[in-house]
Amino acid sequence: MSTQELILESAYRLFARHGFEKTSLSMIAKEVGISKPAVYYYFPSKEALFGALLEAVCSEIRFGKYFPLASFTVDNYKEQLTGCGLRMIGEQRSDPHYSLLMKEFMIQSTRDESILSAMMAVIQAYVEGFHELLRHGADLGIVQGEDLRAKAEQLTMIVDGIDNYMGLGVAFDYERLWSYTVEQVLR
């Protein structure tokens, strides 16, 4: 792993644990085992590092990674939609820092227009991705063609809500909630 990747990995954990305000470049450098000036070699400021981390996370959680349209067929559509969502939930649950970092991005988005813009782009990509996926389902004869946009927004809100509630430690049956939502959307 490169030094830049190690810095981003440490920043991921530290920003999640301590938030943007309480995480210093010195803390990140210490965790990586490099000097603070070495961090500046890769990132000119804490804000630049946070922005690079946001970009990396947004790329990692892109819609197509979890819901690849080409894998949805007439024979597997419902199972695929359910399974893709369950895989996403499982990955989020297995990473103790993910939900905390997403909350920190949300907090910082209230203070920084570029962060808000990046977060809105992710949300919009999910709405558009689910909308395209549901249109594909309608073309296959599996999804009723009305209210597809509202259904796409519902799926997006459920994905986001599951992440938020898991991050708070709320003990819901998220797999069941996702499966139930898929059933409702496909009616």
Side-chain angles (χ1 to χ4, degrees):
M1 191 176 288
S2 73
T3 302
Q4 185 171 10
E5 291 168 332
L6 289 170
I7 293 168
L8 285 167
E9 185 177 279
S10 292
Y12 181 90
R13 288 190 302 276
L14 291 171
F15 283 133
R17 276 190 228 138
H18 305 290
F20 178 79
E21 298 300 326
K22 292 184 179 179
T23 300
S24 68
L25 292 181
S26 296
M27 290 167 67
I28 294 167
K30 182 177 179 182
E31 184 164 306
V32 174
I34 60 175
S35 67
K36 185 176 172 183
V39 174
Y40 280 114
Y41 175 79
Y42 295 97
F43 302 98
S45 66
K46 183 166 81 166
E47 293 78 11
L49 174 54
F50 194 75
L53 182 59
L54 173 63
E55 186 178 314
V57 169
C58 288
S59 176
E60 188 61 30
I61 63 171
R62 69 194 177 285
F63 181 84
K65 174 187 175 188
Y66 291 103
F67 299 92
L69 181 64
S71 68
F72 286 76
T73 68
V74 70
D75 296 322
N76 74 358
Y77 189 92
K78 178 182 169 188
E79 294 77 17
Q80 189 72 357
L81 183 55
T82 302
C84 289
L86 294 177
R87 182 171 63 94
M88 176 185 248
I89 292 166
E91 284 185 22
Q92 290 173 354
R93 181 177 278 140
S94 70
D95 181 350
H97 300 103
Y98 175 78
S99 289
L100 294 171
L101 185 62
M102 292 307 288
K103 283 176 187 36
E104 189 61 27
F105 287 146
M106 294 299 282
I107 290 166
Q108 294 306 316
S109 75
T110 66
R111 301 178 181 126
D112 185 321
E113 188 67 34
S114 66
I115 296 171
L116 175 61
S117 184
M119 297 299 289
M120 293 298 289
V122 169
I123 292 166
Q124 192 59 37
Y126 268 78
V127 170
E128 295 304 324
F130 279 129
H131 192 227
E132 183 179 358
L133 191 57
L134 292 169
R135 279 196 317 262
H136 177 63
D139 292 344
L140 295 173
I142 296 166
V143 179
Q144 292 183 11
E146 64 272 352
D147 298 322
L148 294 182
R149 183 72 180 192
K151 291 175 181 180
E153 291 169 355
Q154 178 184 3
L155 289 169
T156 302
M157 288 180 66
I158 292 296
V159 164
D160 189 50
I162 286 173
D163 172 46
N164 287 327
Y165 279 66
M166 275 195 310
L168 292 172
V170 177
F172 286 163
D173 184 345
Y174 298 108
E175 291 79 5
R176 185 170 175 218
L177 283 169
W178 177 254
S179 298
Y180 178 79
T181 301
V182 169
E183 288 283 341
Q184 297 302 307
V185 165
L186 296 184
R187 284 186 176 183

